[in-house]
Amino acid sequence: MDTPFSPYRRNLLGLMAGACLPTSHAAALPVFVVQTEPSLAHCIALLHAALKAGGLPADLVNAPHASEQRNLHEIAAGRIHINLLPASPTRLQLVREGRLRMIPVPLERGLLGWRAPFVLQSREDRLRHVRTLDDLRTLTIGQGANWWDANIYRTAGITTREVQSWRNGEFAEQMQTGVIDLFPMGLEESLSYFLPHFREHYPQLTLDRFLLLRYPWYRFVWVSPHPGADALYRALQKGFDIICENGEFESIWTRMRRPPPADSWQGRTVISLENPFYSPDIVPRRYQHLLLHPRLS
């Protein structure tokens, strides 16, 4: 059970206290705590640009890693100010209830919904003959614990197992024992970050060349509903509208996260799955131009 003296709480309070030390730089800028990942440096750059454009330049510090339940608890209490996570039914319901705030700017430009499977090099031809959803149903997909993607696969009738440890490619061990066959993640994020990162720990992992799964899946900005985050929310709303209109969003994104090369899309079987939770219309019209549409021919 979490208590006021739990390791997570001590780490977060210590982090926030350190961020507020009375140095000249810290005194000059407000400090906000962000739940993020090492692979999301481009999102942090976009947050800084939006805050500057919105008239509220700030220092951003990372929150300790925690479960989704803990993240939601801390953001509701105002101890975490910003989350950078895909939209989920739980989060959308909290937004409708006024217990979470959402800025639906597609931080991954729609590419997060194009999922490429990680497989073992020794079995890299395993998906060559997967052409249909029925073919895919003969295999077992792995996903991180509590990822809502797992529900998308299960809704499609695909056996799916959730794994607790995945951040360094630990799911390779379950592939070796036959518990799972593939571990899909975003193609762009995998090429940009996860493939080289995973292979540092599990060099037997590779990215499949034959199959892509596709469904609506978007990483958004989530802001604390706490009154202390009111100015932050207004600045981010205003700032993202500005940088998305004037091209700065695309400039930053292209500098830090390039789209996969054309040949990485071609010659693959694409299996489209329904997202039972939302459609592409969840991205507002004013941000639709940010979405990238790969050429598959």
Side-chain angles (χ1 to χ4, degrees):
M1 181 176 71
D2 290 305
T3 72
F5 301 101
S6 67
Y8 178 92
R9 183 66 56 79
R10 288 198 300 270
N11 289 342
L12 183 55
L13 292 178
L15 182 154
M16 294 178 70
C20 297
L21 287 174
T23 64
S24 59
H25 180 63
L29 295 176
V31 177
F32 298 113
V33 179
V34 184
Q35 175 279 323
T36 186
E37 299 282 350
S39 61
L40 301 180
H42 65 297
C43 296
I44 298 300
L46 289 168
L47 286 175
H48 278 294
L51 286 169
K52 182 178 179 181
L56 187 64
D59 281 335
L60 302 175
V61 296
N62 295 347
H65 172 68
S67 67
E68 168 70 342
Q69 183 178 8
R70 170 52 62 183
N71 278 329
L72 289 173
H73 178 79
E74 295 297 322
I75 201 169
R79 287 183 287 268
I80 290 178
H81 302 103
I82 302 170
N83 285 166
L84 302 169
L85 291 167
S88 70
T90 299
R91 287 178 169 268
L92 295 174
Q93 181 61 33
L94 291 174
V95 170
R96 287 190 288 269
E97 295 171 357
R99 295 193 290 152
L100 188 62
R101 293 188 271 204
M102 175 178 75
I103 300 174
V105 57
L107 296 170
E108 309 287 6
R109 305 191 66 184
L111 297 183
L112 193 62
W114 291 85
R115 314 296 277 187
F118 280 95
V119 295
L120 295 176
Q121 280 186 321
S122 60
R123 304 171 191 170
E124 62 179 344
D125 287 342
R126 179 124 189 220
L127 304 183
R128 180 190 292 271
H129 303 296
V130 174
R131 300 290 184 183
T132 67
L133 180 56
D134 283 339
D135 294 336
L136 191 58
R137 287 171 176 151
T138 66
L139 303 173
T140 299
I141 282 180
Q143 290 286 267
N146 300 314
W147 288 10
W148 277 97
D149 307 68
N151 294 283
I152 293 175
Y153 297 131
R154 289 173 180 143
T155 298
I158 304 166
T159 301
T160 306
R161 296 184 181 275
E162 298 179 47
V163 300
Q164 290 294 330
S165 298
W166 65 271
R167 294 175 185 280
N168 293 319
E170 296 92 335
F171 55 84
E173 298 172 10
Q174 297 200 29
M175 288 181 177
Q176 290 171 325
T177 59
V179 175
I180 62 175
D181 298 300
L182 60 158
F183 195 95
M185 297 184 70
L187 174 62
E188 184 275 329
E189 65 178 356
S190 296
L191 291 174
S192 295
Y193 178 82
F194 284 109
L195 179 60
H197 173 70
F198 288 160
R199 286 177 60 84
E200 288 180 5
H201 304 274
Y202 293 89
Q204 65 269 43
L205 284 172
T206 190
L207 207 57
D208 172 70
R209 298 173 289 117
F210 305 107
L211 181 66
L212 281 174
L213 307 178
R214 181 185 183 184
Y215 47 86
W217 201 238
Y218 305 102
R219 187 184 306 280
F220 291 153
V221 178
W222 310 88
V223 181
S224 172
H226 192 276
D230 287 352
L232 169 66
Y233 179 61
R234 290 193 297 269
L236 284 173
Q237 276 194 313
K238 176 182 177 181
F240 270 111
D241 284 351
I242 291 172
I243 68 171
C244 291
E245 183 177 354
N246 67 14
E248 187 176 2
F249 181 107
E250 291 160 287
S251 176
I252 292 171
W253 199 94
T254 302
R255 185 173 72 247
M256 302 186 71
R257 294 295 285 256
R258 305 187 193 288
D263 60 4
S264 65
W265 303 96
Q266 296 168 357
R268 290 176 180 257
T269 295
V270 177
I271 297 179
S272 295
L273 303 176
E274 180 183 354
N275 181 338
F277 310 119
Y278 55 82
S279 71
D281 292 340
I282 194 173
V283 178
R285 185 180 298 275
R286 68 185 185 278
Y287 298 145
Q288 287 278 339
H289 68 283
L290 299 173
L291 299 177
L292 296 173
H293 302 282
R295 293 184 179 179
L296 300 176
S297 60

